[in-house]
Amino acid sequence: MSRWWRRVAVLVLVAVGGQVALTLLDFDPDPLRWALMATTGVTLLWLVLDVLGIGTAPWDEPLSPYARPDAADDSVQHRVVANHLAARDPGPALHRLLVGLARARDPALSDPELRALAEEAPRRLKATDIDRYLTRIEQPHDDD
């Protein structure tokens, strides 16, 4: 909407400024005809600029570095960890989450501790154990 207000303001400035300039130069312009001619000229100019000035679509631009498309996954993962730590008898959700993250990072599970986690039955993990497993999952590894 502000784009149109700017265009109307430019049109008014061109019409009034042209009228004043032509009057000062002693051309004695007819205000109605001058306004119509200025409107036609400026409108044609905007039409050409709009047709030739096609930019990229705003949805084609890359996401800003602070946009997190996986923010919903983070909240789910946070709930899984919080529920595991608070539960009297925790289920296998955290075990599946950790093994899934480990396999996504390294499908062969070359880390012996992560391989042992995948092979054992789900059990209660302390916060330090969860932190240790996540640290091992995030560690860079060689694909040789």
Side-chain angles (χ1 to χ4, degrees):
M1 191 65 158
S2 67
R3 177 178 172 186
W4 290 105
W5 285 113
R6 279 185 282 160
R7 288 184 174 197
V8 169
V10 167
L11 177 60
V12 168
L13 285 174
V14 167
V16 171
Q19 179 71 28
V20 169
L22 291 174
T23 302
L24 289 176
L25 293 174
D26 239 1
F27 282 108
D28 197 29
D30 180 26
L32 183 60
R33 290 183 182 167
W34 168 246
L36 182 61
M37 189 172 75
T39 303
T40 304
V42 171
T43 303
L44 287 175
L45 179 66
W46 285 332
L47 180 64
V48 169
L49 290 176
D50 284 346
V51 169
L52 296 180
I54 297 174
T56 61
W59 54 84
D60 287 341
E61 295 174 4
L63 293 176
S64 66
Y66 300 106
R68 302 258 337 248
D70 61 344
D73 290 342
D74 288 347
S75 65
V76 169
Q77 293 169 358
H78 175 60
R79 275 187 275 151
V80 168
V81 172
N83 288 345
H84 179 84
L85 293 174
R88 186 175 302 162
D89 185 25
L94 180 62
H95 182 265
R96 283 195 305 255
L97 178 65
L98 289 173
V99 171
L101 288 172
R103 286 194 193 279
R105 186 77 183 232
D106 179 18
L109 289 179
S110 57
D111 186 306
E113 193 168 342
L114 294 176
R115 191 176 327 111
L117 173 70
E119 293 170 356
E120 71 184 18
R123 61 181 171 87
R124 175 179 290 282
L125 298 173
K126 295 184 277 186
T128 56
D129 295 332
I130 297 169
D131 184 51
R132 186 179 73 247
Y133 285 129
L134 288 174
T135 301
R136 294 183 79 86
I137 290 170
E138 291 173 351
Q139 282 178 345
H141 61 280
D142 295 327
D143 290 333
D144 301 346

